[in-house]
Amino acid sequence: METYNQNFARFYNFAAGGFANSIVPKILEFYEGTSIGRTNNSILDLCCGTGQFSLHCLSRGYKVTGIDISASMLNYAIANTRTYFDVGQAKFIQDDATKFTLNERFGLVVATFDSLNHLENEVALKSCFERVFTVSEGYFIFDLNTRAGLQKWNGVQMIEDEDMVVIVDKNFDEGNRKAYAKFSCFIRNNESLYERAEETIFNTLYVMDNVRNALLEVGWKDVYFAKINNLNKAILQPEEERRIFVIAKKYEIL
């Protein structure tokens, strides 16, 4: 799985907040409407990045454990959640999403902002599903960029802020089943000078039927695809969406 340098983590910390703001209320509304969600306030934020999703959950009284492979990302996550981290409501662990082990169990496990697209292939993805299954007592919710979404990875985009300028060059490689984004970051330092940093990330293209089958093979039940605006409603053609949310429950709904 990919890891990230300090300057890219700084950019991610700046850019990821808007996505977290848009999805956290909807995911928690879904979870709080389930039987386990009314009694279990423990969340595992897998591939937690700089901790924006975790922060929202913590502010609503949840106990959160975050896992990420990047030490630079985790430094921001701890800083962003310092009030909760210092009293033990939040903790963060550097580990691999395909290999981690924990003694704790969680009512809800999430992996957001297409973080699981950053795994190398479907074998790694299934390993992640197995790891999550061992620590889950309820639901696993994650989002993926689909083929329709990754086909839009083309062209150049510029992101500007008073402290940074970021140029993103995206392309989709159908043959290698990967989409790539090269980030050229110019970030102001403490001396008001701009430092340049480059990072190239990838998204792996998954077949949605294969994703569902892998979850079922691991033991997950009631697996379906949904849009973020209605996580209770299964959609039958997930490949037509650019981004899809996957809902998996560990136990069958009776």
Side-chain angles (χ1 to χ4, degrees):
M1 191 172 184
E2 294 176 298
T3 187
Y4 305 105
N5 62 43
Q6 182 65 27
N7 277 332
F8 184 78
R10 182 178 173 186
F11 162 70
Y12 186 95
N13 187 55
F14 161 77
F19 186 75
N21 291 342
S22 68
I23 67 170
V24 173
K26 296 177 175 65
I27 290 177
L28 293 185
E29 180 183 7
F30 169 85
Y31 180 61
E32 290 165 3
T34 67
S35 57
I36 192 169
R38 290 188 283 271
T39 59
N40 189 321
N41 75 336
S42 62
I43 294 178
L44 174 61
D45 187 359
L46 187 62
C47 307
C48 64
T50 53
Q52 282 90 352
F53 191 102
S54 295
L55 179 60
H56 282 279
C57 298
L58 291 162
S59 69
R60 292 178 59 156
Y62 285 90
K63 184 177 180 180
V64 179
T65 296
I67 291 179
D68 202 276
I69 199 169
S70 170
S72 297
M73 292 284 197
L74 291 176
N75 288 337
Y76 276 102
I78 292 170
N80 288 335
T81 63
R82 175 60 68 183
T83 301
Y84 306 98
F85 181 83
D86 286 346
V87 298
Q89 188 181 338
K91 67 178 179 179
F92 295 96
I93 300 167
Q94 186 179 6
D95 211 336
D96 189 318
T98 68
K99 300 176 181 178
F100 73 93
T101 59
L102 294 171
N103 292 326
E104 300 173 70
R105 300 294 178 264
F106 303 90
L108 174 64
V109 181
V110 297
T112 59
F113 213 172
D114 52 86
S115 55
L116 298 191
N117 282 108
H118 296 287
L119 298 177
E120 183 65 32
N121 50 42
E122 290 183 356
V123 173
L125 186 66
K126 188 173 182 181
S127 295
C128 174
F129 294 165
E130 291 169 344
R131 293 293 87 217
V132 174
F133 190 79
T134 64
V135 301
S136 172
E137 290 185 345
Y139 285 88
F140 181 25
I141 300 176
F142 59 97
D143 65 283
L144 294 173
N145 283 325
T146 66
R147 180 188 299 273
L150 294 179
Q151 285 174 336
K152 299 297 181 181
W153 282 37
N154 55 70
V156 178
Q157 175 187 10
M158 180 176 289
I159 302 168
E160 295 184 78
D161 179 68
E162 62 180 14
D163 290 324
M164 69 180 71
V165 176
V166 180
I167 301 169
V168 189
D169 186 2
K170 292 184 176 182
N171 68 89
F172 177 50
D173 186 341
E174 178 84 30
N176 287 325
R177 304 185 64 79
K178 292 283 193 297
Y180 297 92
K182 180 181 179 181
F183 292 81
S184 298
C185 306
F186 301 86
I187 301 177
R188 191 194 305 268
N189 63 23
N190 292 334
E191 299 175 351
S192 294
L193 299 175
Y194 283 88
E195 298 177 350
R196 179 173 179 173
E198 291 191 348
E199 186 82 59
T200 299
I201 68 169
F202 68 82
N203 262 211
T204 298
L205 171 62
Y206 303 122
V207 177
M208 293 301 110
D209 281 347
N210 293 352
V211 172
R212 184 176 187 275
N213 289 338
L215 285 161
L216 293 172
E217 288 169 6
V218 168
W220 292 95
K221 311 294 182 182
D222 304 302
V223 177
Y224 64 94
F225 302 98
K227 297 180 184 180
I228 186 59
N229 288 331
N230 189 351
L231 295 176
N232 287 292
K233 182 181 179 181
I235 63 172
L236 300 180
Q237 301 296 331
E239 297 285 7
E240 295 181 0
E241 306 298 324
R242 294 187 183 182
R243 181 186 300 272
I244 199 71
F245 282 76
V246 186
I247 316 296
K249 190 179 181 185
K250 188 166 185 177
Y251 306 106
E252 290 186 12
I253 298 174
L254 301 178

